[in-house]
Amino acid sequence: MSVPAAFPANDPHNTMRASDADRDHVAEALREAYAEGRLDVEEHNERIDLAYKAKTLGELSPLLSDLPQRHAATLAGPTSPIPPMPADYAPGSKITAVFAEQKRGGRWVVPSTTTAAAVFGSVTIDLREAVLTQREVVIIANAVFGSIEIKVPHGVVVRDEGTAVFGSRSGSDRNAAGDVPITPDSPVVVLRGMALFGEVSVRYPKPKKLGKFLGR
């Protein structure tokens, strides 16, 4: 994958030193572009790596130059506003099922915080094809006479900090990430909230038969 050519070096804006916030904004725009199918996995991973290694805005700009203007506007200038995420996926987004069933899955952008509530209903949150906006995200799962199931891919650590009152919370293990070894860079999903006469459960994909046979 070839990254677009850099902008002219004599542009004062491009020689300005990049901040951690600048790098994070570009990474977020790249994740959104990947979620929309504008970048494949290899392009996304390579550009994310370059974004966090960039020292100037001039090194960040090419990473967004071939994407729609709403992505590239992230680095249009020091005073340019950061384009907001879609409302459905903005921090604090909610998934609610009252006497009903709600599902969120496929390729979608997971915000820093998601609140899910199942009241006499069920909610399924599928993260297996999702794009996390940051390495650690929070899901506030409240199940009241209902159930919430979170499906995660191997390699994601789920840390449950929630409470169960006449209910159950199962499937999470802060020391495991499915069949994939834990590293300092492993994604983390923090579960909070309450299971009141309800259930909050975490499901990893079933291990491959060979791996299961070998005890891995």
Side-chain angles (χ1 to χ4, degrees):
M1 191 275 291
S2 59
V3 175
F7 293 157
N10 58 357
D11 185 336
H13 176 247
N14 290 322
T15 59
M16 185 179 299
R17 301 288 291 191
S19 68
D20 288 340
D22 292 326
R23 285 182 278 269
D24 287 340
H25 291 326
V26 170
E28 181 176 321
L30 291 172
R31 292 187 184 103
E32 185 177 342
Y34 168 69
E36 295 172 350
R38 299 182 189 279
L39 299 174
D40 60 29
V41 175
E42 182 181 349
E43 291 171 325
H44 170 261
N45 291 342
E46 183 174 349
R47 293 194 190 193
I48 287 287
D49 183 58
L50 291 173
Y52 282 113
K53 290 180 179 178
K55 296 186 181 299
T56 67
L57 296 182
E59 294 175 66
L60 289 173
S61 295
L63 304 178
L64 304 177
S65 64
D66 59 348
L67 298 175
Q69 286 301 308
R70 62 192 178 88
H71 294 299
T74 300
L75 291 177
T79 61
S80 297
I82 302 302
M85 296 176 64
D88 287 346
Y89 305 133
S93 64
K94 298 181 179 180
I95 309 170
T96 304
V98 180
F99 290 99
E101 179 182 9
Q102 291 283 357
K103 294 182 179 180
R104 179 166 294 180
R107 180 179 285 187
W108 62 289
V109 178
V110 183
S112 58
T113 302
T114 299
T115 300
V119 182
F120 291 99
S122 66
V123 171
T124 300
I125 302 176
D126 193 341
L127 303 177
R128 292 174 296 179
E129 297 181 26
V131 179
L132 305 186
T133 56
Q134 54 192 52
R135 191 183 72 84
E136 181 174 304
V137 298
V138 176
I139 296 178
I140 301 173
N142 294 310
V144 181
F145 292 97
S147 65
I148 298 177
E149 181 180 67
I150 297 117
K151 298 180 179 180
V152 296
H154 294 298
V156 174
V157 178
V158 180
R159 189 171 71 242
D160 193 350
E161 299 177 353
T163 303
V165 179
F166 295 106
S168 67
R169 305 178 72 92
S170 62
S172 66
D173 184 349
R174 69 183 61 203
N175 297 315
D179 282 349
V180 177
I182 296 176
T183 71
D185 297 321
S186 294
V188 177
V189 174
V190 178
L191 291 184
R192 294 174 183 159
M194 177 178 290
L196 177 62
F197 292 99
E199 178 186 14
V200 175
S201 61
V202 177
R203 298 283 184 270
Y204 284 98
K206 292 182 179 179
K208 295 180 180 180
K209 292 182 179 180
L210 178 58
K212 187 174 182 180
F213 175 76
L214 295 175
R216 291 185 287 182

